[in-house]
């Protein structure tokens, strides 16, 4: 997912945790992205009504947004909307225009917050799967595939697996259904067909298929909404891609779907009551849930962090960290410098003059930075999500071997230990040339 939606609250029940966290998260996003150097832009969004008989639904969304404190909304006629978005369908009867909606890179958001946590003293244990947990002598004991851990408090933010851990410790069970959403990503050549995020009127399965620019200049189309049982089921399907095309072109009929460069799927953690589950379980206040975080989870994430952080501060009687590091700089991009600045940089650091990914103009210097910085990249996908190497039109067909060589050199690992995304996702298994005859 190269760019995703920073959505406004219009769909969630008044007074719900989804509504509160969404509004607060949206308010926090400008300062957060400035402090942590995360690309973010408020492009606004349309919710499009395609049926004269459904106009009352747009008014209802507007009224609900007003009750929940959403600023800068208005209802536009179809003609008014098309003046702002010329490629909007002639069938648009009216739209709800939310001016404070925005777009962000979810990878950059996640990585930036993780790096900032790390430099402020948070340890990470990767490739560590919790298998069981139980309370003994005032401590939670977590048995994992990498040994046992003890903790006074546990925060359960396990996504589609959050119900598994909640149900280990609470008699009040919850159930999470993996809701698969498939997406198509269009080439940058399609950029500009829409400026705002184009939603369709929502159904019981969510906001429907959207068409939106990404923060990096592509166009994203999706998601579908299919409830499945497999908590790892992120495969794409022909049916899903066909559905995206059929639904998306209802709002943007000239959408150039032949310019799709990749398709992918993700899972939303849909809790049966369609609500965020935030706070301690009834049996023990030292086990805190962050469960059922589906859409608008991305928008809500900073507010959820603030809410749970304040809760734990009060329970644990914590004080603010005196030497807190509040800011962070992203990877330097030579392509964003002036010619003079770029030439000076290359004189000092020649690696910034070596293009590795041609599609996205990513240099060796950027990849080295991605590997060496806090919580640095350890795989092809790790480099990709930090630098965009491999996210362009050829989808890593050209740059993968060179990125692998840089990872091998920087990490001191042989090529056959370099992976696509960690674990067992190896790319090279053995050499086919230069082997001794057997």
């Amino acid at each position: 997912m190269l760019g995703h939606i920073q959505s406004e609250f219009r769909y969630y029940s008044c007074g719900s945790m989804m509504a509160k966290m969404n509004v607060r998260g949206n308010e926090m996003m400008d300062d957060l992205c400035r402090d942590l150097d995360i690309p973010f832009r408020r492009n606004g969004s349309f919710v499009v009504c395609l049926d004269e008989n459904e106009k009352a639904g747009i008014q209802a969304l507007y009224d609900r947004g007003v009750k929940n404190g959403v600023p800068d909304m208005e209802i536009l006629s179809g003609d008014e909307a098309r003046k702002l978005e010329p490629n909007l369908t002639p069938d648009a009867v009216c739209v709800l225009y939310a001016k404070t909606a925005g777009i962000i890179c979810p990878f950059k958001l996640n990585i930036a917050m993780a790096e900032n946590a790390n430099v402020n003293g948070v340890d990470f244990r990767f490739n560590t799967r919790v298998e069981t947990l139980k309370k003994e002598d005032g401590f939670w004991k977590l048995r994992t595939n990498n040994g046992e851990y003890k903790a006074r408090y546990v925060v359960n933010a396990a996504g589609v697996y959050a119900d598994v851990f909640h149900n280990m410790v609470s008699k009040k069970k919850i159930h999470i259904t993996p809701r698969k959403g498939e997406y198509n990503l269009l080439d940058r050549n399609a950029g500009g067909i829409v400026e705002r995020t184009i939603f369709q009127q929502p159904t019981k399965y969510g906001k429907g298929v959207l068409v939106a620019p990404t923060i990096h200049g592509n166009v994203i189309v999706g998601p579908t909404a299919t409830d499945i049982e497999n908590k790892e089921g992120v495969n794409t399907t022909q049916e899903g891609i066909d559905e995206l095309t059929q639904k998306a072109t209802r709002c943007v009929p000239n959408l150039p779907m032949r310019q799709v460069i990749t398709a992918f799927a993700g899972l939303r953690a849909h809790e049966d009551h369609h609500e965020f589950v935030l706070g301690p379980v009834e049996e023990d206040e030292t086990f805190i849930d962050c469960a059922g975080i589906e859409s608008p989870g991305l928008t809500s994430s900073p507010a959820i962090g603030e809410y749970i952080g304040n809760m734990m501060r009060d329970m644990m009687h914590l004080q603010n960290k005196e030497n807190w590091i509040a800011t962070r700089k992203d990877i330097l991009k030579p392509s964003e410098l002036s010619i003079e600045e770029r030439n000076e940089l290359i004189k000092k650091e020649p690696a910034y003059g070596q293009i590795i990914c041609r599609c996205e103009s990513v240099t060796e210097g950027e990849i080295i930075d991605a590997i060496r910085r806090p919580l640095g990249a350890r795989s092809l996908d790790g480099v990709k999500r930090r630098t965009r190497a491999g996210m362009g039109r050829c989808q890593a067909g050209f740059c993968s071997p060179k990125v692998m060589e840089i990872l091998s050199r920087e990490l001191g690992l042989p090529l056959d230990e370099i992976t696509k995304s960690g674990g067992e996702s190896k790319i090279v298994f053995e050499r086919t040339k230069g082997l001794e005859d057997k």
Side-chain angles (χ1 to χ4, degrees):
M1 195 185 321
L2 307 190
H4 200 38
I5 306 308
Q6 175 67 28
S7 58
E8 268 289 0
F9 167 64
R10 295 175 303 279
Y11 307 99
Y12 313 108
S13 300
C14 297
S16 68
M17 291 303 291
M18 278 186 171
K20 293 175 182 177
M21 295 297 111
N22 196 16
V23 171
R24 175 58 181 155
N26 185 286
E27 292 172 349
M28 297 173 69
M29 202 59 70
D30 292 285
D31 290 343
L32 176 69
C33 292
R34 181 200 63 229
D35 291 344
L36 299 186
D37 200 15
I38 303 164
F40 171 62
R41 178 165 63 89
R42 293 195 183 274
N43 66 322
S45 69
F46 282 179
V47 180
V48 181
C49 174
L50 299 172
D51 186 340
E52 192 75 33
N53 296 321
E54 299 294 333
K55 290 175 68 174
I58 294 293
Q59 184 65 51
L61 289 177
Y62 175 87
D63 293 341
R64 195 182 306 170
V66 170
K67 288 181 180 179
N68 285 277
V70 179
D72 287 335
M73 294 187 303
E74 61 179 313
I75 296 176
L76 304 178
S77 69
D79 288 340
E80 290 172 328
R82 280 182 288 273
K83 287 181 181 178
L84 298 175
E85 292 289 351
N87 289 306
L88 191 65
T89 176
D91 296 332
V93 175
C94 63
V95 305
L96 174 58
Y97 182 18
K99 298 178 183 178
T100 57
I103 50 178
I104 197 169
C105 175
F107 294 137
K108 292 281 190 180
L109 175 65
N110 191 303
I111 290 167
M113 290 198 287
E115 287 182 1
N116 186 243
N118 183 243
V119 299
N120 280 293
V122 175
D123 290 329
F124 288 74
R125 296 290 184 268
F126 296 110
N127 301 312
T128 301
R129 181 182 63 255
V130 175
E131 296 169 344
T132 63
L133 71 160
K134 59 182 179 179
K135 191 76 172 287
E136 289 184 3
D137 302 324
F139 286 89
W140 289 102
K141 292 187 177 180
L142 290 79
R143 184 168 62 83
T144 79
N145 60 318
N146 288 326
E148 188 173 272
Y149 293 82
K150 292 172 64 177
R152 293 190 182 275
Y153 287 80
V154 170
V155 177
N156 173 28
V160 293
Y161 289 96
D163 56 346
V164 174
F165 298 109
H166 170 98
N167 295 340
M168 286 182 183
V169 302
S170 178
K171 294 180 181 179
K172 186 177 180 180
K173 307 302 183 184
I174 64 173
H175 177 255
I176 289 175
T177 300
R179 179 165 287 173
K180 182 163 70 172
E182 298 182 52
Y183 288 88
N184 281 344
L185 187 78
L186 278 62
D187 189 46
R188 286 189 181 187
N189 287 345
I193 193 166
V194 292
E195 172 65 21
R196 292 157 189 83
T197 300
I198 310 299
F199 291 104
Q200 298 171 14
Q201 272 187 277
T203 70
K204 65 179 181 178
Y205 288 108
K207 298 184 286 290
V209 169
L210 61 86
V211 179
T214 74
I215 198 68
H216 301 292
N218 300 85
V219 173
I220 194 168
V221 180
T224 57
T226 306
D227 289 347
I228 62 175
E229 295 184 4
N230 182 5
K231 291 180 183 286
E232 302 291 336
V234 293
N235 59 301
T236 57
T237 64
Q238 185 63 54
E239 294 79 9
I241 293 171
D242 292 343
E243 179 184 346
L244 290 178
T245 301
Q246 185 270 324
K247 289 185 175 180
T249 52
R250 291 184 65 201
C251 284
V252 186
N254 297 324
L255 194 63
M257 293 300 291
R258 293 180 66 86
Q259 293 195 42
V260 171
I261 60 174
T262 191
F264 58 93
L267 300 178
R268 287 158 279 181
H270 175 69
E271 197 272 329
D272 285 353
H273 298 91
H274 189 54
E275 173 64 307
F276 294 162
V277 181
L278 302 175
V281 297
E282 291 182 359
E283 293 85 350
D284 195 322
E285 69 171 9
T286 64
F287 185 94
I288 298 99
D289 276 321
C290 285
I293 312 300
E294 58 180 317
S295 180
L298 178 67
T299 308
S300 302
S301 58
I304 293 172
E306 178 185 60
Y307 179 76
I308 297 297
N310 289 342
M311 180 186 299
M312 297 195 68
R313 176 199 62 199
D314 295 341
M315 287 193 299
M316 300 175 70
H317 309 291
L318 303 176
Q319 301 296 320
N320 288 338
K321 186 180 175 73
E322 291 184 4
N323 57 343
W324 172 259
I325 300 170
T327 60
R328 165 260 189 198
K329 289 297 294 181
D330 195 12
I331 293 168
L332 173 66
K333 289 186 67 63
S335 60
E336 296 177 354
L337 302 177
S338 69
I339 294 295
E340 294 77 17
E341 291 171 328
R342 195 183 310 175
N343 289 339
E344 189 63 29
L345 173 65
I346 293 170
K347 285 181 183 178
K348 295 178 181 178
E349 301 285 348
Y352 285 101
Q354 179 66 34
I355 298 292
I356 301 300
C357 173
R358 294 180 179 178
C359 297
E360 296 292 321
S361 298
V362 180
T363 66
E364 183 176 5
E366 294 165 75
I367 295 170
I368 292 171
D369 186 0
I371 297 169
R372 293 180 180 178
R373 65 198 289 112
L375 299 181
R378 295 294 181 268
S379 66
L380 279 179
D381 280 356
V383 170
K384 177 180 180 180
R385 291 166 181 170
R386 289 165 174 82
T387 69
R388 292 185 56 79
M391 283 192 175
R393 180 180 294 184
C394 85
Q395 288 291 291
F398 174 81
C399 62
S400 287
K402 189 61 179 177
V403 174
M404 290 177 64
E405 290 177 9
I406 297 170
L407 280 163
S408 174
R409 182 190 72 213
E410 291 293 316
L411 300 177
L413 296 174
L415 281 173
D416 59 9
E417 291 188 23
I418 302 301
T419 65
K420 181 183 184 298
S421 58
E424 297 300 317
S425 60
K426 292 184 177 181
I427 301 166
V428 174
F429 290 90
E430 63 180 19
R431 295 184 179 275
T432 57
K433 294 182 179 181
L435 294 175
E436 294 181 2
D437 293 334
K438 295 182 179 180

